[in-house]
Amino acid sequence: MFLAADGNIDEIIGGIAPEWGPFASLGAEARTMVQVVMAAAILICLAIAIWGAAKQRIGATALRDTFSAEQGKGLIIAGLTGVFIIGSLGTLFTIIYGMAI
């Protein structure tokens, strides 16, 4: 039987290094793969946010294209939301896993 987190803050804010809860039984290679996938997803979301910022800037000033500017805002919000969600997965999994025990 697994035990809940021992109250150590490092287990809650571990970010993209899941070595607790349901990931504790995984091997080192599997944990590394999870970390790589999460890091890649964060980079992709940041790239989307940067693309949206560029699209908003170009659309709002150079081309006077309000549709492009609004689409850029949507991309910024989507990218930053993705970064927040992926960065919070450690906390979410810890909370959900702790509630299930």
PDB file of all heavy atoms in Angstrom, residues 30-52:
ATOM      1  N   ALA A  30      11.485   5.223 -17.069  1.00  0.00           N
ATOM      2  CA  ALA A  30      10.106   5.681 -17.289  1.00  0.00           C
ATOM      3  C   ALA A  30       9.901   7.066 -16.699  1.00  0.00           C
ATOM      4  O   ALA A  30       9.251   7.921 -17.309  1.00  0.00           O
ATOM      5  CB  ALA A  30       9.119   4.685 -16.680  1.00  0.00           C
ATOM      6  N   ARG A  31      10.460   7.325 -15.516  1.00  0.00           N
ATOM      7  CA  ARG A  31      10.343   8.663 -14.920  1.00  0.00           C
ATOM      8  C   ARG A  31      11.043   9.696 -15.791  1.00  0.00           C
ATOM      9  O   ARG A  31      10.548  10.806 -15.975  1.00  0.00           O
ATOM     10  CB  ARG A  31      10.921   8.665 -13.507  1.00  0.00           C
ATOM     11  CG  ARG A  31       9.967   8.152 -12.464  1.00  0.00           C
ATOM     12  CD  ARG A  31      10.434   8.542 -11.087  1.00  0.00           C
ATOM     13  NE  ARG A  31      11.731   7.980 -10.786  1.00  0.00           N
ATOM     14  CZ  ARG A  31      11.942   6.935  -9.998  1.00  0.00           C
ATOM     15  NH1 ARG A  31      10.922   6.345  -9.434  1.00  0.00           N
ATOM     16  NH2 ARG A  31      13.157   6.497  -9.777  1.00  0.00           N
ATOM     17  N   THR A  32      12.188   9.329 -16.341  1.00  0.00           N
ATOM     18  CA  THR A  32      12.905  10.248 -17.221  1.00  0.00           C
ATOM     19  C   THR A  32      12.078  10.548 -18.468  1.00  0.00           C
ATOM     20  O   THR A  32      12.017  11.699 -18.917  1.00  0.00           O
ATOM     21  CB  THR A  32      14.273   9.662 -17.617  1.00  0.00           C
ATOM     22  OG1 THR A  32      15.020   9.425 -16.427  1.00  0.00           O
ATOM     23  CG2 THR A  32      15.039  10.615 -18.505  1.00  0.00           C
ATOM     24  N   MET A  33      11.425   9.540 -19.004  1.00  0.00           N
ATOM     25  CA  MET A  33      10.576   9.762 -20.187  1.00  0.00           C
ATOM     26  C   MET A  33       9.405  10.677 -19.857  1.00  0.00           C
ATOM     27  O   MET A  33       9.059  11.560 -20.648  1.00  0.00           O
ATOM     28  CB  MET A  33      10.055   8.421 -20.738  1.00  0.00           C
ATOM     29  CG  MET A  33      11.113   7.613 -21.451  1.00  0.00           C
ATOM     30  SD  MET A  33      11.900   8.517 -22.812  1.00  0.00           S
ATOM     31  CE  MET A  33      10.529   8.828 -23.864  1.00  0.00           C
ATOM     32  N   VAL A  34       8.797  10.499 -18.688  1.00  0.00           N
ATOM     33  CA  VAL A  34       7.700  11.382 -18.281  1.00  0.00           C
ATOM     34  C   VAL A  34       8.209  12.814 -18.145  1.00  0.00           C
ATOM     35  O   VAL A  34       7.565  13.772 -18.586  1.00  0.00           O
ATOM     36  CB  VAL A  34       7.056  10.889 -16.964  1.00  0.00           C
ATOM     37  CG1 VAL A  34       6.094  11.907 -16.399  1.00  0.00           C
ATOM     38  CG2 VAL A  34       6.350   9.562 -17.184  1.00  0.00           C
ATOM     39  N   GLN A  35       9.390  12.984 -17.552  1.00  0.00           N
ATOM     40  CA  GLN A  35       9.971  14.316 -17.403  1.00  0.00           C
ATOM     41  C   GLN A  35      10.263  14.952 -18.757  1.00  0.00           C
ATOM     42  O   GLN A  35       9.998  16.143 -18.959  1.00  0.00           O
ATOM     43  CB  GLN A  35      11.256  14.236 -16.584  1.00  0.00           C
ATOM     44  CG  GLN A  35      11.039  13.847 -15.143  1.00  0.00           C
ATOM     45  CD  GLN A  35      12.337  13.538 -14.423  1.00  0.00           C
ATOM     46  OE1 GLN A  35      13.412  13.712 -14.976  1.00  0.00           O
ATOM     47  NE2 GLN A  35      12.234  13.083 -13.186  1.00  0.00           N
ATOM     48  N   VAL A  36      10.777  14.164 -19.696  1.00  0.00           N
ATOM     49  CA  VAL A  36      11.091  14.687 -21.029  1.00  0.00           C
ATOM     50  C   VAL A  36       9.816  15.100 -21.754  1.00  0.00           C
ATOM     51  O   VAL A  36       9.754  16.166 -22.383  1.00  0.00           O
ATOM     52  CB  VAL A  36      11.887  13.647 -21.844  1.00  0.00           C
ATOM     53  CG1 VAL A  36      11.956  14.020 -23.306  1.00  0.00           C
ATOM     54  CG2 VAL A  36      13.284  13.483 -21.270  1.00  0.00           C
ATOM     55  N   VAL A  37       8.775  14.275 -21.662  1.00  0.00           N
ATOM     56  CA  VAL A  37       7.507  14.603 -22.331  1.00  0.00           C
ATOM     57  C   VAL A  37       6.910  15.874 -21.741  1.00  0.00           C
ATOM     58  O   VAL A  37       6.442  16.760 -22.471  1.00  0.00           O
ATOM     59  CB  VAL A  37       6.524  13.413 -22.230  1.00  0.00           C
ATOM     60  CG1 VAL A  37       5.133  13.814 -22.632  1.00  0.00           C
ATOM     61  CG2 VAL A  37       7.016  12.255 -23.082  1.00  0.00           C
ATOM     62  N   MET A  38       6.936  15.995 -20.413  1.00  0.00           N
ATOM     63  CA  MET A  38       6.384  17.194 -19.784  1.00  0.00           C
ATOM     64  C   MET A  38       7.203  18.439 -20.127  1.00  0.00           C
ATOM     65  O   MET A  38       6.644  19.511 -20.380  1.00  0.00           O
ATOM     66  CB  MET A  38       6.296  16.991 -18.276  1.00  0.00           C
ATOM     67  CG  MET A  38       5.240  15.977 -17.874  1.00  0.00           C
ATOM     68  SD  MET A  38       5.217  15.635 -16.116  1.00  0.00           S
ATOM     69  CE  MET A  38       4.341  17.062 -15.513  1.00  0.00           C
ATOM     70  N   ALA A  39       8.515  18.307 -20.157  1.00  0.00           N
ATOM     71  CA  ALA A  39       9.361  19.452 -20.528  1.00  0.00           C
ATOM     72  C   ALA A  39       9.120  19.851 -21.980  1.00  0.00           C
ATOM     73  O   ALA A  39       9.053  21.052 -22.296  1.00  0.00           O
ATOM     74  CB  ALA A  39      10.827  19.110 -20.305  1.00  0.00           C
ATOM     75  N   ALA A  40       8.987  18.877 -22.864  1.00  0.00           N
ATOM     76  CA  ALA A  40       8.715  19.178 -24.273  1.00  0.00           C
ATOM     77  C   ALA A  40       7.361  19.865 -24.427  1.00  0.00           C
ATOM     78  O   ALA A  40       7.220  20.818 -25.210  1.00  0.00           O
ATOM     79  CB  ALA A  40       8.770  17.901 -25.107  1.00  0.00           C
ATOM     80  N   ALA A  41       6.370  19.417 -23.669  1.00  0.00           N
ATOM     81  CA  ALA A  41       5.047  20.038 -23.740  1.00  0.00           C
ATOM     82  C   ALA A  41       5.101  21.483 -23.251  1.00  0.00           C
ATOM     83  O   ALA A  41       4.454  22.365 -23.828  1.00  0.00           O
ATOM     84  CB  ALA A  41       4.049  19.223 -22.917  1.00  0.00           C
ATOM     85  N   ILE A  42       5.884  21.743 -22.207  1.00  0.00           N
ATOM     86  CA  ILE A  42       6.032  23.116 -21.717  1.00  0.00           C
ATOM     87  C   ILE A  42       6.702  23.991 -22.782  1.00  0.00           C
ATOM     88  O   ILE A  42       6.280  25.122 -23.029  1.00  0.00           O
ATOM     89  CB  ILE A  42       6.816  23.146 -20.392  1.00  0.00           C
ATOM     90  CG1 ILE A  42       5.931  22.630 -19.262  1.00  0.00           C
ATOM     91  CG2 ILE A  42       7.318  24.549 -20.078  1.00  0.00           C
ATOM     92  CD1 ILE A  42       6.623  22.518 -17.931  1.00  0.00           C
ATOM     93  N   LEU A  43       7.730  23.465 -23.434  1.00  0.00           N
ATOM     94  CA  LEU A  43       8.398  24.239 -24.488  1.00  0.00           C
ATOM     95  C   LEU A  43       7.461  24.519 -25.658  1.00  0.00           C
ATOM     96  O   LEU A  43       7.481  25.617 -26.226  1.00  0.00           O
ATOM     97  CB  LEU A  43       9.651  23.502 -24.952  1.00  0.00           C
ATOM     98  CG  LEU A  43      10.802  23.463 -23.952  1.00  0.00           C
ATOM     99  CD1 LEU A  43      11.953  22.621 -24.503  1.00  0.00           C
ATOM    100  CD2 LEU A  43      11.274  24.873 -23.631  1.00  0.00           C
ATOM    101  N   ILE A  44       6.651  23.540 -26.019  1.00  0.00           N
ATOM    102  CA  ILE A  44       5.688  23.743 -27.115  1.00  0.00           C
ATOM    103  C   ILE A  44       4.674  24.814 -26.729  1.00  0.00           C
ATOM    104  O   ILE A  44       4.345  25.691 -27.541  1.00  0.00           O
ATOM    105  CB  ILE A  44       5.002  22.410 -27.477  1.00  0.00           C
ATOM    106  CG1 ILE A  44       6.005  21.478 -28.158  1.00  0.00           C
ATOM    107  CG2 ILE A  44       3.784  22.637 -28.360  1.00  0.00           C
ATOM    108  CD1 ILE A  44       5.506  20.062 -28.346  1.00  0.00           C
ATOM    109  N   CYS A  45       4.177  24.767 -25.497  1.00  0.00           N
ATOM    110  CA  CYS A  45       3.216  25.782 -25.055  1.00  0.00           C
ATOM    111  C   CYS A  45       3.838  27.169 -25.018  1.00  0.00           C
ATOM    112  O   CYS A  45       3.184  28.156 -25.383  1.00  0.00           O
ATOM    113  CB  CYS A  45       2.657  25.410 -23.684  1.00  0.00           C
ATOM    114  SG  CYS A  45       1.517  24.012 -23.728  1.00  0.00           S
ATOM    115  N   LEU A  46       5.091  27.259 -24.590  1.00  0.00           N
ATOM    116  CA  LEU A  46       5.767  28.562 -24.618  1.00  0.00           C
ATOM    117  C   LEU A  46       5.959  29.060 -26.038  1.00  0.00           C
ATOM    118  O   LEU A  46       5.817  30.266 -26.314  1.00  0.00           O
ATOM    119  CB  LEU A  46       7.115  28.469 -23.902  1.00  0.00           C
ATOM    120  CG  LEU A  46       7.059  28.411 -22.378  1.00  0.00           C
ATOM    121  CD1 LEU A  46       8.447  28.177 -21.802  1.00  0.00           C
ATOM    122  CD2 LEU A  46       6.460  29.688 -21.819  1.00  0.00           C
ATOM    123  N   ALA A  47       6.270  28.156 -26.960  1.00  0.00           N
ATOM    124  CA  ALA A  47       6.403  28.544 -28.371  1.00  0.00           C
ATOM    125  C   ALA A  47       5.076  29.055 -28.916  1.00  0.00           C
ATOM    126  O   ALA A  47       5.047  30.036 -29.681  1.00  0.00           O
ATOM    127  CB  ALA A  47       6.916  27.364 -29.189  1.00  0.00           C
ATOM    128  N   ILE A  48       3.973  28.422 -28.536  1.00  0.00           N
ATOM    129  CA  ILE A  48       2.652  28.881 -28.971  1.00  0.00           C
ATOM    130  C   ILE A  48       2.376  30.279 -28.431  1.00  0.00           C
ATOM    131  O   ILE A  48       1.854  31.144 -29.152  1.00  0.00           O
ATOM    132  CB  ILE A  48       1.561  27.876 -28.526  1.00  0.00           C
ATOM    133  CG1 ILE A  48       1.675  26.593 -29.340  1.00  0.00           C
ATOM    134  CG2 ILE A  48       0.165  28.473 -28.656  1.00  0.00           C
ATOM    135  CD1 ILE A  48       0.787  25.469 -28.854  1.00  0.00           C
ATOM    136  N   ALA A  49       2.730  30.525 -27.163  1.00  0.00           N
ATOM    137  CA  ALA A  49       2.514  31.850 -26.580  1.00  0.00           C
ATOM    138  C   ALA A  49       3.371  32.906 -27.283  1.00  0.00           C
ATOM    139  O   ALA A  49       2.906  34.020 -27.548  1.00  0.00           O
ATOM    140  CB  ALA A  49       2.823  31.818 -25.080  1.00  0.00           C
ATOM    141  N   ILE A  50       4.607  32.565 -27.609  1.00  0.00           N
ATOM    142  CA  ILE A  50       5.477  33.510 -28.319  1.00  0.00           C
ATOM    143  C   ILE A  50       4.944  33.777 -29.722  1.00  0.00           C
ATOM    144  O   ILE A  50       4.934  34.910 -30.198  1.00  0.00           O
ATOM    145  CB  ILE A  50       6.925  32.983 -28.343  1.00  0.00           C
ATOM    146  CG1 ILE A  50       7.516  33.022 -26.933  1.00  0.00           C
ATOM    147  CG2 ILE A  50       7.795  33.778 -29.309  1.00  0.00           C
ATOM    148  CD1 ILE A  50       8.830  32.302 -26.788  1.00  0.00           C
ATOM    149  N   TRP A  51       4.500  32.721 -30.396  1.00  0.00           N
ATOM    150  CA  TRP A  51       3.902  32.882 -31.728  1.00  0.00           C
ATOM    151  C   TRP A  51       2.685  33.804 -31.653  1.00  0.00           C
ATOM    152  O   TRP A  51       2.489  34.684 -32.490  1.00  0.00           O
ATOM    153  CB  TRP A  51       3.511  31.511 -32.282  1.00  0.00           C
ATOM    154  CG  TRP A  51       2.819  31.572 -33.599  1.00  0.00           C
ATOM    155  CD1 TRP A  51       1.481  31.702 -33.814  1.00  0.00           C
ATOM    156  CD2 TRP A  51       3.422  31.529 -34.898  1.00  0.00           C
ATOM    157  NE1 TRP A  51       1.222  31.735 -35.154  1.00  0.00           N
ATOM    158  CE2 TRP A  51       2.396  31.629 -35.837  1.00  0.00           C
ATOM    159  CE3 TRP A  51       4.729  31.404 -35.322  1.00  0.00           C
ATOM    160  CZ2 TRP A  51       2.649  31.609 -37.195  1.00  0.00           C
ATOM    161  CZ3 TRP A  51       4.968  31.388 -36.688  1.00  0.00           C
ATOM    162  CH2 TRP A  51       3.938  31.486 -37.607  1.00  0.00           C
ATOM    163  N   GLY A  52       1.859  33.624 -30.610  1.00  0.00           N
ATOM    164  CA  GLY A  52       0.688  34.475 -30.440  1.00  0.00           C
ATOM    165  C   GLY A  52       1.062  35.923 -30.176  1.00  0.00           C
ATOM    166  O   GLY A  52       0.420  36.844 -30.687  1.00  0.00           O
TER     167      GLY A  52
END
